[in-house]
Amino acid sequence: MCGIVGYVGSRSVSEFLLEGLHRLEYRGYDSAGIAVISDGEISVRKKAGRVMELARLVEEQPLFGNIGIGHTRWATHGETTDANSHPHLGGNGEVVIVHNGVIENHDSLRNQLIALGYVFHSQTDTEVAAHLMAHHLSEQLKLNSDEPCVDTCLRAVNLTLDRLKGTYGICVMFRDCPDTIIAARSGSPLVIGVGKNEYFLASDSSPLIGCTQDVVYLADNEVVVLNATGMKIAHRTTGRVQPSIQTLDQVSADIDLGNYPHYMLKEIFEQPTSVENAMRGRLDEGEATAVIGGLNLTAQQLRTFDRVVLTACGTSWHAGLVGEYLLEEFARLPTEVEYASELRYRNPPISDRTLVFSITQSGETADTLAAMRECQRKGHPTLSICNVVGSTIAREADGGIYLHAGPEIGVASTKAFTSQVTVLSLLALYLGRMRHLSYPAGKRIIKQLREMPEKIEEALKCHERVQEISEKYAHFNNFLYLGRLYNFPVALEGALKLKEISYIHAEGYPAAEMKHGPIALVDEQTPSVFIVPKGGIQPKVISNMEEVKARRGPVIALACEGDKEVERIADDVIIVPDVEEYLQPLVCAIPLQLLSYHIALLRGCNVDRPRNLAKSVTVE
Ligand code: G6P
């Protein structure tokens, strides 16, 4: 949550900061601000609202300089006002900081600082850190007036960080050390872009694309001192760190909108390719299995596991539910799917024979990271299924599988879901083939997986039909999403998509479970979306549809072409391609993503930046 950028070099800093914030806006868009040092003064421009509004302010009141920091906020402490926007000045303007994370002991620190005479202008926890920084700076200046200013500033930063409890990715500039940025992380990500006589800082690599390909990922408890001619990274307790420079392989085209009006729509339409990329080089026809290289466990070791725990949040958790069904069906491995926010504080019986996977698009979700660390702390190898290369979870996991879906910018996750399901199918095939799954069964699964990009392409043909249906249903305020077996997680995901971007109340349920409660909601004003493609228990789901119709509930059905019975009962049918049951989530998710997209548009919602949400939730 919250996006941070920083720059020191010879470019005009405001342009980089604003463009960088624009690219990080998916992390939070309650307010934005930048601070620039020039002529020995720190100047700040900040504003509640989107980065666009900040850009307007900067146009009216420009900031010139070659060193600066910026922030786009997802509010935790304090409302979304100009005053609560970052950057925050400390002391009498001698320090300025931007911060991502939560300072848990802000209240007691604030009281101590007020007693020392510091005056607060915001309700944020960040301003506490800014004043504390100013306080330690003034103390250190008294004690060490002869040493280089940068050393004093670094000490002030370290002393401040020693007193903070919670999480931070933090960037600081000092008025009296005007060529330096100091940044540090503990729990919130920061990546440094290394240029020629210039350095960039950001919460993730997207602002760096087009600026530099060389990056260093700051690790927890590391602090970096940057100026135009160099960078020094130190671990706060163990000392100097030799930076490992990695190469970014993203290209700017991935983060351009192209001809699409929204990232969400672009990403929905990218799914034939993203699913193909998730499988690329990972199918072994000869052995009828998947090739999964990065698990860092031998086949022999993998065979010793007798249970799987999948942990995740949000949409990734829904993908995990599909994974549970796949792993149990293909590999006969008992699988549990845990909300990471629960797992991290529970004490579940995870034994040496339990394989734990964290599923995450961003690789930065605070709860997922904490759950993974908790499992690792107890000595269990924890693997990840992750999209963002070099993200904290990808780096800290003991092994893992990348999605290769490319950057997902729309806050509502779409292509990451189908890529996660694809990777989980590969995993289930791989683990299944080293257990009881037969060669012909493996061959059949591979054949069907290979067809999926084409099938998703076919599923996308429903676009116009979904648009029509959206017009008919956009005014309803409650929806039920119902499906069974592999389509139960799809129902949950469809409901989540609608909630997230249209602010319509929606509930996903196993279709048969509906009669134990949600059926009480059914009336003419509550449409039900049934996911009812062909399959073993389709007749049962059809009976559930009848139950809804009998209570005058409008029914939208996702069904295969020519399904007369569904056509007879449903008010509106959306056609999905006929695929094996275990691959149905990959095609059935598509119309539901489009349905929520169009309903949100019709209701005038901002689909790429839904209210109160953020793409990457780096706070608890
Ligand atoms: C946020 C996003 C969701 C996402 C969830 C988990 O809530 O808005 O779209 O599913 O975080 O994110 P992750 O990056 O761990 O998959």
Side-chain angles (χ1 to χ4, degrees):
M1 242 97 188
C2 299
I4 289 180
V5 279
Y7 175 79
V8 54
S10 53
R11 298 177 191 225
S12 154
V13 70
S14 295
E15 275 165 42
F16 169 75
L17 295 179
L18 289 170
E19 174 58 24
L21 290 181
H22 181 65
R23 293 187 194 175
L24 287 179
E25 216 179 5
Y26 71 86
R27 299 177 68 89
Y29 30 86
D30 290 334
S31 66
I34 59 173
V36 170
I37 304 190
S38 103
D39 298 330
E41 279 306 319
I42 297 174
S43 308
V44 174
R45 302 282 182 269
K46 56 185 190 174
K47 201 151 180 44
R50 304 279 308 269
V51 174
M52 223 159 49
E53 290 173 44
L54 172 70
R56 250 179 248 133
L57 177 70
V58 175
E59 210 176 297
E60 286 161 18
Q61 301 168 31
L63 287 180
F64 302 104
N66 309 111
I67 178 167
I69 55 180
H71 186 268
T72 174
R73 178 168 185 245
W74 186 86
T76 57
H77 295 70
E79 289 168 33
T80 56
T81 58
D82 291 353
N84 285 338
S85 312
H86 299 215
H88 288 282
L89 292 165
N92 292 315
E94 53 271 26
V95 175
V96 65
I97 81 172
V98 291
H99 163 228
N100 169 23
V102 172
I103 297 167
E104 290 165 3
N105 56 338
H106 69 100
D107 219 24
S108 72
L109 290 172
R110 185 192 308 264
N111 291 336
Q112 293 168 41
L113 288 160
I114 290 172
L116 288 168
Y118 287 89
V119 178
F120 282 82
H121 303 284
S122 79
Q123 303 153 310
T124 62
D125 51 343
T126 304
E127 196 184 4
V128 171
H131 283 319
L132 194 58
M133 205 82 74
H135 171 66
H136 283 298
L137 179 66
S138 78
E139 297 281 292
Q140 291 304 306
L141 282 171
K142 281 184 222 152
L143 294 173
N144 305 289
S145 53
D146 297 339
E147 72 176 355
C149 184
V150 61
D151 294 347
T152 318
C153 293
L154 180 58
R155 211 172 12 260
V157 170
N158 278 319
L159 287 166
T160 304
L161 299 182
D162 286 345
R163 294 180 64 188
L164 302 184
K165 292 204 178 94
T167 52
Y168 54 78
I170 210 161
C171 289
V172 195
M173 295 194 302
F174 295 88
R175 185 186 58 204
D176 299 328
C177 195
D179 60 349
T180 302
I181 298 177
I182 300 180
R185 76 161 270 182
S186 176
S188 304
L190 275 179
V191 52
I192 304 159
V194 182
K196 198 161 179 272
N197 296 329
E198 61 179 354
Y199 289 91
F200 308 83
L201 264 167
S203 295
D204 71 31
S205 57
S206 55
L208 313 183
I209 293 169
C211 298
T212 178
Q213 284 201 302
D214 295 331
V215 299
V216 175
Y217 294 98
L218 211 62
D220 270 350
N221 286 316
E222 286 180 355
V223 58
V224 60
V225 179
L226 296 173
N227 63 36
T229 53
M231 117 176 122
K232 277 189 199 140
I233 303 181
H235 189 277
R236 295 205 325 104
T237 47
T238 57
R240 191 78 184 265
V241 170
Q242 206 49 48
S244 122
I245 298 185
Q246 301 183 29
T247 307
L248 274 184
D249 57 2
Q250 288 172 349
V251 288
S252 0
D254 283 346
I255 55 167
D256 284 345
L257 257 180
N259 291 327
Y260 289 94
H262 298 99
Y263 282 108
M264 184 178 177
L265 193 64
K266 175 178 182 252
E267 287 156 7
I268 291 173
F269 273 87
E270 276 171 3
Q271 289 175 104
T273 312
S274 52
V275 163
E276 179 137 41
N277 288 342
M279 290 191 286
R280 196 178 300 282
R282 289 175 168 164
L283 292 174
D284 179 344
E285 302 277 357
E287 301 291 332
T289 186
V291 183
I292 298 183
L295 299 182
N296 299 332
L297 291 167
T298 62
Q300 244 161 355
Q301 287 168 316
L302 285 167
R303 256 192 302 268
T304 62
F305 293 102
D306 60 8
R307 179 172 166 246
V308 177
V309 168
L310 304 173
T311 181
C313 302
T315 290
S316 299
W317 186 81
H318 294 157
L321 290 179
V322 181
E324 175 188 350
Y325 290 14
L326 286 163
L327 285 161
E328 294 194 344
E329 183 164 345
F330 292 2
R332 314 281 329 139
L333 269 168
T335 303
E336 278 154 72
V337 190
E338 288 258 10
Y339 282 118
S341 52
E342 291 294 308
L343 181 66
R344 65 181 292 189
Y345 291 120
R346 280 181 354 100
N347 192 12
I350 292 177
S351 77
D352 291 349
R353 300 177 69 182
T354 307
L355 190 54
V356 182
F357 275 92
S358 303
I359 309 173
T360 169
Q361 187 285 129
S362 63
E364 302 293 350
T365 303
D367 286 321
T368 311
L369 177 60
M372 180 177 91
R373 286 180 177 162
E374 179 64 14
C375 293
Q376 287 174 325
R377 206 178 56 74
K378 292 178 176 162
H380 305 299
T382 305
L383 308 175
S384 73
I385 294 175
C386 183
N387 192 33
V388 178
V389 176
S391 57
T392 309
I393 291 177
R395 281 181 294 120
E396 290 191 16
D398 300 294
I401 316 173
Y402 277 121
L403 302 181
H404 300 306
E408 189 182 66
I409 311 281
V411 167
S413 188
T414 52
K415 63 176 178 173
F417 174 77
T418 44
S419 294
Q420 287 164 340
V421 170
T422 306
V423 161
L424 285 160
S425 318
L426 298 176
L427 181 68
L429 170 63
Y430 181 57
L431 296 177
R433 283 287 290 133
M434 59 180 69
R435 289 178 169 75
H436 78 290
L437 195 74
S438 71
Y439 183 86
K443 278 293 245 194
R444 205 175 55 245
I445 294 167
I446 290 188
K447 180 173 175 293
Q448 284 148 359
L449 277 166
R450 281 211 190 284
E451 285 169 7
M452 286 322 289
E454 214 176 292
K455 297 285 182 188
I456 294 173
E457 198 81 67
E458 208 179 311
L460 284 164
K461 293 197 178 126
C462 70
H463 190 196
E464 263 179 45
R465 172 78 180 127
V466 172
Q467 224 166 329
E468 274 167 33
I469 290 179
S470 304
E471 280 174 27
K472 184 165 161 196
Y473 290 91
H475 65 282
F476 288 100
N477 291 320
N478 290 294
F479 279 73
L480 288 174
Y481 282 71
L482 302 161
R484 288 184 83 165
L485 300 182
Y486 282 97
N487 287 314
F488 159 51
V490 179
L492 292 177
E493 177 57 11
L496 179 67
K497 287 285 89 74
L498 193 72
K499 277 185 272 212
E500 282 179 311
I501 61 167
S502 332
Y503 321 141
I504 294 175
H505 170 242
E507 288 198 35
Y509 248 81
E513 190 63 20
M514 176 226 13
K515 54 191 173 296
H516 301 291
I519 198 164
L521 300 174
V522 172
D523 63 12
E524 296 95 322
Q525 295 307 315
T526 306
S528 294
V529 180
F530 274 91
I531 304 150
V532 60
K534 285 187 189 145
I537 56 163
Q538 196 212 29
K540 310 271 180 199
V541 188
I542 291 178
S543 306
N544 300 140
M545 278 172 56
E546 297 271 26
E547 287 154 16
V548 167
K549 280 311 295 175
R551 288 159 182 86
R552 301 204 189 143
V555 168
I556 304 169
L558 265 59
C560 298
E561 183 135 36
D563 199 324
K564 296 283 173 250
E565 202 167 0
V566 174
E567 281 170 17
R568 179 182 60 76
I569 306 165
D571 297 280
D572 290 285
V573 178
I574 300 170
I575 303 296
V576 287
D578 188 6
V579 300
E580 278 297 323
E581 281 181 69
Y582 49 79
L583 293 173
Q584 282 171 354
L586 291 176
V587 290
C588 292
I590 310 283
L592 301 185
Q593 295 166 349
L594 287 168
L595 186 69
S596 60
Y597 172 81
H598 283 292
I599 290 184
L601 279 190
L602 289 164
R603 291 171 73 109
C605 302
N606 183 337
V607 288
D608 280 341
R609 302 281 179 265
R611 74 181 179 208
N612 303 343
L613 298 179
K615 180 89 188 141
S616 174
V617 181
T618 55
V619 294
E620 269 202 72

